[in-house]
Amino acid sequence: MFFVDTIEVAGLGNRSYLAGGERTAVAVDPPRDIDRVIAAAARRGVRISHVVETHVHNDYVTGGLELARLVGAAYLVPAAARVSFERAPVGDGDRTEIDAEAGLVLRALATPGHTPHHTSYVLEENGAAIAVFTGGSLLIGTVGRPDLVEPRLTEDLARAQHASAHRLAAELPDETAVLPTHGFGSFCSSTQSAGGDTTIGKEKVSNEALTRDVDVFVADLLAGLDDVPAYYTHMGPANAAGPAPVDLTPPETADAEQIAARLAAGEWVVDLRNRVAFAQGHVAGSFNFEAEGQLATYLAWLIPWGKPVTLLAESPEQLAAAQRELVRVGIDRPAAAATGGPADWLREGEAPAAFARGTFADLAGRSADGVVVVDVRRTSERSEGYVEGSVHIPIHTLPRRLDEIPDGEVWVHCAGGMRAAVAASLLDAAGRDVVAVDDSFDAAGKSGLAVRTP
């Protein structure tokens, strides 16, 4: 008998896996907060004998090295990956016994494309393939993006992705479960995929890498590549060097005076509450990144790398969850933190700042007044339609482009409201009169606004 447990890393759109028999197991592409993997093994009553990486990750800091050290497991990393720590190098065709009694073996299968050294792992039971851990190679309906290593390699890696997908399809039975690391909202995916599970057979009829000629596939893939989160440039080097252990203990507590001092020093103070509560009242100068949204992705993308950050949370539980999210992308320790609400974070005599929220219908009622409309969606989203006359400044470029926004009341929107709230908090902190559009972009045209397509 065998099992495969999925460990969701929802904030980053990733998955990790624990697979094994009754005695031992392998952890695949583990997140940095390895206590989740250890807990999964404890629930199964198995020992983690092996930890494997499909590649040196570009979108998050791995927990693989620390997990292997802590549990005494062998750490398998593709042989061609350039790393600065001891590991068991893996080559194409290498076989690793995971659980002898269950007949479980892991077979390495070179699948370059997402990175030059990318390796997938086929889980075999008594010689029969039952699942393949595809990392950033074959995803659900798509593949991992090939442009995260070196721009000059992008087209070659795109062609390698096509070849690797075809190798997987040719060598594995149709019923083999496909278990990717990326593709559930991750920016490591070349396009956003739908669905939660798949097989080789399903991918043969639906995956763009398996249904298109290589030249068409490569051209479409390259044309569709979107912006790369800025923090990605720090992830690969951190993983190649060997990440340090995680410290998830509570940070230093900041009182109202200390919060004010940190703001005055130019540090980032981040309010984790939901966007409705933040708009109604917050510490002037603080920024709103909802704990329930893609906190790690967007905070790591926007904050100047290495700048101290103080977290403001509703509760110790919300703070702890945010810390866990942030260590996954290398924001290891908040400079300070506080829990409660604005009344606890403001000095005596200070009033909370606030700004308005609205819908696209509200905006349509004001459009004749000459308000400034700012669209903070990505270029690929705007290409499908935009509000006529709107200023396009993608959210990740906004901090350095605030001076490009014309004078006047600013109505800022995205596709659903979360990014608009982040942008509104940045504009509010900069002293602009702002309204956050908390609405689905699908409502823009229905509200009477003129929506154009480039």
Side-chain angles (χ1 to χ4, degrees), residues 66-86:
E66 178 63 8
L67 177 61
R69 184 197 66 79
L70 198 62
V71 303
Y75 190 29
L76 279 58
V77 177
R82 296 182 178 180
V83 296
S84 302
F85 48 81
E86 292 287 330

Side-chain angles (χ1 to χ4, degrees), residues 36-188:
R36 300 180 65 207
V37 185
I38 294 172
R43 286 192 295 270
R44 287 285 184 179
V46 296
R47 177 175 65 87
I48 299 173
S49 59
H50 295 80
V51 177
V52 304
E53 303 283 6
T54 56
H55 60 294
V56 174
H57 303 282
N58 289 293
D59 65 326
Y60 68 93
V61 181
T62 181
L65 180 63
E66 178 63 8
L67 177 61
R69 184 197 66 79
L70 198 62
V71 303
Y75 190 29
L76 279 58
V77 177
R82 296 182 178 180
V83 296
S84 302
F85 48 81
E86 292 287 330
R87 90 286 195 198
V90 178
D92 187 40
D94 286 356
R95 301 173 68 85
T96 303
E97 187 176 79
I98 301 301
D99 191 305
E101 289 190 12
L104 294 177
V105 171
L106 209 60
R107 175 165 60 92
L109 201 159
T111 49
H114 187 48
T115 66
H117 60 264
H118 191 284
T119 300
S120 297
Y121 298 91
V122 181
L123 183 64
E124 298 178 344
E125 182 184 38
N126 298 319
I130 51 179
V132 56
F133 301 103
T134 56
S137 181
L138 189 68
L139 311 185
I140 301 177
T142 185
V143 294
R145 58 193 299 168
D147 61 329
L148 302 179
V149 177
E150 157 62 52
R152 290 170 295 183
L153 297 178
T154 298
E155 182 172 349
D156 288 343
L157 289 177
R159 292 184 178 277
Q161 278 290 50
H162 188 271
S164 292
H166 279 263
R167 182 184 184 190
L168 289 165
E171 294 191 16
L172 299 176
D174 283 356
E175 62 271 19
T176 307
V178 175
L179 303 173
T181 300
H182 307 308
F184 311 95
S186 167
F187 281 89
C188 264

Side-chain angles (χ1 to χ4, degrees), residues 273-282 288 353-357 436:
R273 295 175 302 147
N274 72 70
R275 56 186 181 260
V276 176
F278 183 87
Q280 291 173 342
H282 55 269
N288 182 214
F355 55 77
R357 297 166 55 249

Side-chain angles (χ1 to χ4, degrees), residues 346-359:
L346 292 166
R347 293 174 295 187
E348 186 175 352
E350 285 184 329
F355 55 77
R357 297 166 55 249
T359 64

Side-chain angles (χ1 to χ4, degrees), residues 270-347:
V270 172
D271 191 324
L272 301 168
R273 295 175 302 147
N274 72 70
R275 56 186 181 260
V276 176
F278 183 87
Q280 291 173 342
H282 55 269
V283 177
S286 63
F287 304 137
N288 182 214
F289 290 79
E290 291 180 305
E292 294 77 15
Q294 290 179 281
L295 167 66
T297 294
Y298 282 101
L299 179 54
W301 198 343
L302 269 67
I303 192 171
W305 197 251
K307 182 174 281 291
V309 59
T310 293
L311 300 178
L312 307 180
E314 286 183 320
S315 66
E317 292 77 18
Q318 187 181 64
L319 174 60
Q323 281 185 257
R324 183 175 292 271
E325 287 269 342
L326 294 177
V327 297
R328 295 170 183 160
V329 293
I331 300 178
D332 285 7
R333 291 292 294 167
T339 58
D344 305 298
W345 306 331
L346 292 166
R347 293 174 295 187

Side-chain angles (χ1 to χ4, degrees), residues 197-277:
D197 58 77
T198 190
T199 63
I200 290 292
K202 290 179 181 178
E203 292 307 303
K204 282 182 177 179
V205 298
S206 62
N207 195 295
E208 54 198 23
L210 298 173
T211 58
R212 298 181 183 180
D213 165 85
V214 60
D215 291 327
V216 174
F217 166 78
V218 169
D220 288 347
L221 178 62
L222 298 183
L225 292 174
D226 216 329
D227 299 313
V228 177
Y231 69 91
Y232 275 25
T233 191
H234 303 285
M235 301 296 96
N239 288 324
V246 167
D247 180 2
L248 290 175
T249 58
E252 173 189 336
T253 300
D255 60 21
E257 289 291 343
Q258 292 169 326
I259 291 170
R262 291 186 178 281
L263 283 167
E267 298 182 11
W268 275 39
V269 174
V270 172
D271 191 324
L272 301 168
R273 295 175 302 147
N274 72 70
R275 56 186 181 260
V276 176

